[in-house]
Amino acid sequence: MEENAKNEHVNYHHPLLRYKIWNITLDPLSSSSWNTWHYHKEVEILLLLEGSMQVETVDTVYDLQDQDLLIIGSSRLHRTKRHNPVKQIVLQLDIIAQLDQYTKDYSPILLELSEPLDRVNGVLSMNKSVKESMFNLLIHVYQEASRMEPGYELAISGAFKQLLSQFIRHAPSSTPISPADWQRLKPVLDYVESHYENPIRIHDVLHLVHLEYHYFIKYFQKCIGMSFIDYLHLRRIKKSEHLLLTESLSMADIGVQSGFPNVTQFIRIFKRYNDCTPSEFRKKRFQKSSL
């Protein structure tokens, strides 16, 4: 199954908010057919407006009916089957792009370090008001993204924050990182937040956790789900994305202000995270703004 799965690339409707949302009507598939297994790093929320369909993940098959909603976690294999036409709205959202100083304490939940976010579907099946709240949030995002009236980005960003709060409140409570481990690593994450523009070595944060170098590397990876260097790069790339869309600076200056004094390294790492160069990223945004 996994050998044939397709890793889908999502072209965002907004490069800073990093989402894609669209309304689509699909014809039935041939009898007993499933579409191809696929996955993407974005969390997906599917609103089934009309019709019925099945969605299968690696461990669950969901039967969806009119006015239903389904959450599929980041990088979760899934496929669908439908015997009649369906009309749906689909949102694909990069959760990492939504993290800020208010949400970083909930990173173990939002980054799915313990359980995929589709575990929230169990809550939705038993709590009509929660499902209705999420459904209305997604309809609101779709309407704002379609109209693109002045201030739509603020409206969408606010809706995403409400959506994250629903994830946090209703996701499974178990985590692979204990509260003590999370509190122990918070000073390291706070240090990165305050100093990412400057050179940071692993040795610079060891005193914050009182751990030996090699043990810290393994400990951070286990708790956060990525290496310390990858986390540092991710924070710097998020800053560079903001500067690319809001400041008329050269690539070299943006690299320096984001913590990449070497412009070649900046471009190489940016491309690793965005599948395009910083210049291409900026150009795509300006082209969309002029439409």
Side-chain angles (χ1 to χ4, degrees):
M1 175 176 66
E2 295 190 21
E3 291 105 354
N4 299 320
K6 179 182 179 182
N7 183 358
E8 289 190 349
H9 173 70
V10 174
N11 293 313
Y12 299 122
H13 289 158
H14 192 290
L16 196 57
L17 292 174
R18 298 177 75 86
Y19 73 89
K20 179 180 180 180
I21 190 167
W22 71 102
N23 187 330
I24 186 171
T25 299
L26 298 172
D27 293 327
L29 293 170
S30 59
S31 178
S32 302
S33 318
W34 292 87
N35 71 354
T36 306
W37 285 103
H38 58 286
Y39 64 98
H40 35 73
K41 67 184 179 65
E42 295 76 16
V43 169
E44 180 168 303
I45 306 179
L46 190 157
L47 303 186
L48 185 61
L49 304 176
E50 297 177 9
S52 62
M53 65 188 299
Q54 290 180 302
V55 179
E56 182 179 12
T57 64
V58 291
D59 53 13
T60 308
V61 176
Y62 300 94
D63 291 299
L64 305 184
Q65 306 297 326
D66 288 356
Q67 302 296 296
D68 227 336
L69 179 149
L70 185 72
I71 299 165
I72 301 171
S74 172
S75 296
R76 290 279 279 173
L77 282 167
H78 57 286
R79 61 180 183 170
T80 62
K81 179 193 289 187
R82 53 190 182 274
H83 301 301
N84 49 52
V86 299
K87 182 177 181 180
Q88 60 188 24
I89 291 174
V90 181
L91 170 70
Q92 294 172 331
L93 178 67
D94 181 3
I95 291 292
I96 291 177
Q98 314 308 317
L99 300 184
D100 57 21
Q101 64 268 34
Y102 303 109
T103 54
K104 66 180 181 178
D105 287 354
Y106 301 102
S107 294
I109 295 174
L110 297 175
L111 297 182
E112 304 178 79
L113 302 186
S114 59
E115 299 281 353
L117 283 174
D118 42 292
R119 296 291 184 257
V120 177
N121 293 314
V123 175
L124 299 181
S125 67
M126 297 182 292
N127 193 322
K128 183 177 179 180
S129 64
V130 175
K131 178 184 284 190
E132 184 177 347
S133 174
M134 286 193 183
F135 196 97
N136 290 335
L137 276 173
L138 270 294
I139 293 294
H140 175 62
V141 170
Y142 175 72
Q143 292 172 342
E144 289 287 348
S146 301
R147 297 168 183 162
M148 296 183 68
E149 296 174 343
Y152 83 96
E153 292 165 314
L154 291 175
I156 290 176
S157 177
F160 286 162
K161 290 295 187 291
Q162 293 181 61
L163 189 63
L164 295 190
S165 72
Q166 296 284 6
F167 288 161
I168 290 165
R169 290 172 182 174
H170 302 293
S173 58
S174 59
T175 63
I177 175 173
S178 68
D181 286 337
W182 185 244
Q183 289 301 316
R184 191 175 193 182
L185 281 176
K186 275 192 66 179
V188 175
L189 304 184
D190 290 341
Y191 183 90
V192 170
E193 187 70 21
S194 301
H195 298 86
Y196 64 83
E197 304 97 328
N198 305 312
I200 297 178
R201 304 171 304 159
I202 291 178
H203 287 289
D204 295 329
V205 301
L206 294 180
H207 71 283
L208 298 172
V209 285
H210 307 291
L211 293 176
E212 181 268 334
Y213 179 88
H214 294 289
Y215 184 82
F216 171 78
I217 291 174
K218 296 178 181 178
Y219 181 66
F220 192 95
Q221 175 80 41
K222 177 177 76 74
C223 293
I224 302 301
M226 66 181 76
S227 72
F228 177 78
I229 298 302
D230 284 343
Y231 182 87
L232 177 60
H233 283 165
L234 183 63
R235 182 62 191 88
R236 287 170 169 166
I237 290 300
K238 285 187 64 180
K239 175 63 175 180
S240 71
E241 290 172 353
H242 179 80
L243 292 173
L244 283 165
L245 302 182
T246 59
E247 302 288 343
S248 299
L249 299 172
S250 68
M251 293 302 118
D253 287 341
I254 288 176
V256 168
Q257 292 191 28
S258 304
F260 296 105
N262 184 309
V263 69
T264 301
Q265 182 198 37
F266 168 48
I267 294 172
R268 175 173 54 82
I269 294 176
F270 189 96
K271 191 171 183 178
R272 182 194 308 166
Y273 281 89
N274 287 287
D275 296 321
C276 66
T277 66
S279 296
E280 291 168 342
F281 180 89
R282 173 185 271 169
K283 184 178 180 181
K284 286 179 184 178
R285 173 54 179 156
F286 288 161
Q287 285 176 337
K288 289 184 182 240
S289 297
S290 64
L291 295 178

